[in-house]
């Protein structure tokens, strides 16, 4: 550290080694955070990441980088050696920094293996922005098919889905599905069975001896509704009364009301005798874990925690048990589905696939001493 408390600047080779260490540890890095950590400018970090990407070690994403797997490297080399692209595939995702980089990596690797080009655009979770980004790709021409992750609820979401269904190119949704009430016939999709993931979480906690198992979700997340249905279904199947425990949202915890909102959740856990809780997503689970530490609530002895996403859950203290959607596999299947549609045309039956998540058990949910309620 320098005398003013800042990190001492690192030299080029050492700095890039540190960047690789951080990516291997966390799976991805953010330019802004690395600049503070290493005591250099964000421009310097971007140049370092560009050099590492040129060497095939990382994949650049908006605002940072992710680790480039051996599969990414090998298929890219195979594609370079095999001639011109077979298809140009558009892909629009609502984030390039959380959850979606692994899906993009899986899609890119599979596209390269098939000698196809993936044209990526990032949007926000706003339906209007999603439509703008998709329209820009389609209207520019040259896109044979599209992978998208649009908003699927409310009137704006319904309109967006209907518009996608009407496009003159095939569309595959990734981690999204259209409501059956819309009766859309052209859209295909590949998604994680989030409802089953919630069932896995509740059954795991039940096996640990918990009988009052709460849930805290993000109100506007496309995943939340599936998680709550799975949580309620598991309670019914196990003969538990879900009305006796915590069922809440955590929308405000990063907007100036964090401690008060987290305290409200913990107070309700104590008042209802809730001894375990499933939280979507990882950052909220870690914040709740911190608040438990501040209040002297022991994890998992007093409250067991299971997170959903498994992006950063292992960085909790203790490491947090989490459901992990098969993100790279979702990306691969989305591309495979789109390529099959492009190759076989309308004679191919419509395909709508669900893939199961995995439960990664860690210290936040095991060895708890609880009593039934």
């Amino acid at each position: 550290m320098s005398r003013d408390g800042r990190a001492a600047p690192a030299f080029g080779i050492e700095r890039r080694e540190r960047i690789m260490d951080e990516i291997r540890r966390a799976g991805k890095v953010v330019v802004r955070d690395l600049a503070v950590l290493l005591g250099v400018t964000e421009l310097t970090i971007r140049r370092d990441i560009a050099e590492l990407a040129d060497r095939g070690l990382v994949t650049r994403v908006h605002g940072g980088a992710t680790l480039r797997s051996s599969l990414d490297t090998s298929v890219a080399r195979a594609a370079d050696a095999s001639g011109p692209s077979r298809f140009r595939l558009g892909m629009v995702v609502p984030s390039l920094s959380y959850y979606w980089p692994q899906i993009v990596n899986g899609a890119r690797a599979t596209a390269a293996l098939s000698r196809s080009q993936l044209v990526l655009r990032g949007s926000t979770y706003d339906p209007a922005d999603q439509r703008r980004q998709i329209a820009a790709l389609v209207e520019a021409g040259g896109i044979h098919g599209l992978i998208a992750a649009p908003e699927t609820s409310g009137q704006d979401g319904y309109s967006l889905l209907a518009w996608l269904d009407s496009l003159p190119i095939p569309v595959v949704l990734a981690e999204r599905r259209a409501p059956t009430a819309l009766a859309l016939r052209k859209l295909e999709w590949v998604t994680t069975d989030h409802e089953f993931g919630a069932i896995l979480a509740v059954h795991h906690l039940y096996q640990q001896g918990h009988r009052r198992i709460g849930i805290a979700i993000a109100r506007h997340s496309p995943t939340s509704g599936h998680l709550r249905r799975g949580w309620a279904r598991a309670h019914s199947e196990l003969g538990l009364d879900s009305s006796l425990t915590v069922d809440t949202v955590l929308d405000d915890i990063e907007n100036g009301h964090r401690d008060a909102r987290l305290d409200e959740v913990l107070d309700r856990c104590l008042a209802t005798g809730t001894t375990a809780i499933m939280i979507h997503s990882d950052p909220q689970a870690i914040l709740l874990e911190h608040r438990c530490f501040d209040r002297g609530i022991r994890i998992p002895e007093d409250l067991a925690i299971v997170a959903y996403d498994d992006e950063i859950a292992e960085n909790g203290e203790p490491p947090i048990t989490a459901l992990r959607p098969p993100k790279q596999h979702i990306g691969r299947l989305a591309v495979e589905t789109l390529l099959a549609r492009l190759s076989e045309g309308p004679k191919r039956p419509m395909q709508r696939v669900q893939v199961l998540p995995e439960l990664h058990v860690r210290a936040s949910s095991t060895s708890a001493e609880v009593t039934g309620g």
Side-chain angles (χ1 to χ4, degrees), residues 201-215:
V202 173
H203 276 260
H204 163 68
L205 293 166
Y206 183 89
Q207 290 165 4
Q208 295 297 311
H210 298 279
R211 297 298 180 265
R212 294 195 178 179
I213 302 166
I215 186 171

Side-chain angles (χ1 to χ4, degrees), residues 291-328:
R291 195 59 184 160
C292 286
F293 178 82
D294 294 341
R295 293 183 51 167
I297 297 173
R298 299 171 302 165
I299 300 171
E301 292 83 0
D302 300 324
L303 184 67
I305 296 176
V306 175
Y308 198 91
D309 280 354
D310 205 22
E311 287 279 315
I312 56 174
E314 66 180 355
N315 296 324
E317 184 55 46
I320 299 175
T321 294
L323 274 301
R324 178 185 299 173
K327 299 161 197 168
Q328 288 204 24

Side-chain angles (χ1 to χ4, degrees), residues 79-80 82-89 111-112 114-119 144:
D80 289 342
S82 60
S85 296
R86 181 183 175 199
F87 294 112
R88 292 187 81 235
L89 312 177
S114 70
R115 294 189 299 106
S116 295
Q117 180 185 3
L118 189 72
V119 183
H144 297 98

Side-chain angles (χ1 to χ4, degrees), residues 90-372:
M91 186 173 191
V92 179
V93 296
S95 172
L96 293 172
S97 61
Y98 184 87
Y99 195 97
W100 292 95
Q102 292 186 55
I103 294 177
V104 170
N105 286 346
R108 180 177 284 126
T110 305
L113 191 61
S114 70
R115 294 189 299 106
S116 295
Q117 180 185 3
L118 189 72
V119 183
L120 176 67
R121 277 185 176 242
S123 68
T124 65
Y125 285 86
D126 175 54
D129 185 44
Q130 292 170 356
R131 181 161 180 162
R132 280 194 299 271
Q133 299 300 334
I134 293 169
L137 274 179
V138 174
E139 292 169 4
I143 297 295
H144 297 98
L146 175 71
I147 298 170
E151 175 62 43
T152 60
S153 63
Q155 189 56 52
D156 289 341
Y158 293 174
S159 296
L160 181 55
L161 288 168
W163 175 69
L164 287 170
D165 194 61
S166 71
L167 290 178
I169 58 175
V171 177
V172 175
L173 306 184
E175 287 292 36
R176 301 288 189 268
R177 67 193 80 172
T180 55
L182 295 181
L184 301 178
R185 302 178 61 185
K186 291 176 59 181
L187 294 179
E188 298 182 274
W189 57 73
V190 179
T191 181
T192 301
D193 190 344
H194 301 299
E195 183 172 328
F196 181 75
I199 292 171
L200 278 180
V202 173
H203 276 260
H204 163 68
L205 293 166
Y206 183 89
Q207 290 165 4
Q208 295 297 311
H210 298 279
R211 297 298 180 265
R212 294 195 178 179
I213 302 166
I215 186 171
I217 53 179
R219 187 189 310 277
H220 301 296
S221 167
T223 304
S224 293
H226 303 296
L227 293 178
R228 193 183 181 285
R229 282 192 293 274
W231 171 81
R233 178 179 161 188
H235 273 72
S236 176
E237 292 173 348
L238 292 169
L240 303 177
D241 189 345
S242 60
S243 68
L244 299 177
T245 187
V246 175
D247 178 4
T248 190
V249 296
L250 283 173
D251 286 9
D252 296 331
I253 66 172
E254 295 180 356
N255 297 318
H257 307 287
R258 185 175 71 185
D259 288 350
R261 190 71 186 92
L262 294 171
D263 281 337
E264 180 183 334
V265 173
L266 293 175
D267 289 342
R268 291 176 65 182
C269 287
L270 294 173
T272 59
T274 296
T275 59
I277 190 167
M278 181 176 68
I279 302 179
H280 179 239
S281 56
D282 289 10
Q284 286 80 356
I286 288 179
L287 289 173
L288 187 71
E289 193 178 60
H290 292 169
R291 195 59 184 160
C292 286
F293 178 82
D294 294 341
R295 293 183 51 167
I297 297 173
R298 299 171 302 165
I299 300 171
E301 292 83 0
D302 300 324
L303 184 67
I305 296 176
V306 175
Y308 198 91
D309 280 354
D310 205 22
E311 287 279 315
I312 56 174
E314 66 180 355
N315 296 324
E317 184 55 46
I320 299 175
T321 294
L323 274 301
R324 178 185 299 173
K327 299 161 197 168
Q328 288 204 24
H329 190 63
I330 292 292
R332 288 195 292 269
L333 278 181
V335 169
E336 289 172 359
T337 301
L338 187 55
L339 291 174
R341 175 62 54 200
L342 289 168
S343 299
E344 299 178 34
K347 67 180 181 180
R348 177 181 170 83
M350 299 300 293
Q351 183 167 298
R352 294 171 175 178
V353 178
Q354 284 189 311
V355 188
L356 302 186
E358 294 182 349
L359 179 68
H360 289 256
V361 178
R362 304 187 180 102
S364 72
S365 68
T366 57
S367 302
E369 298 177 2
V370 298
T371 59

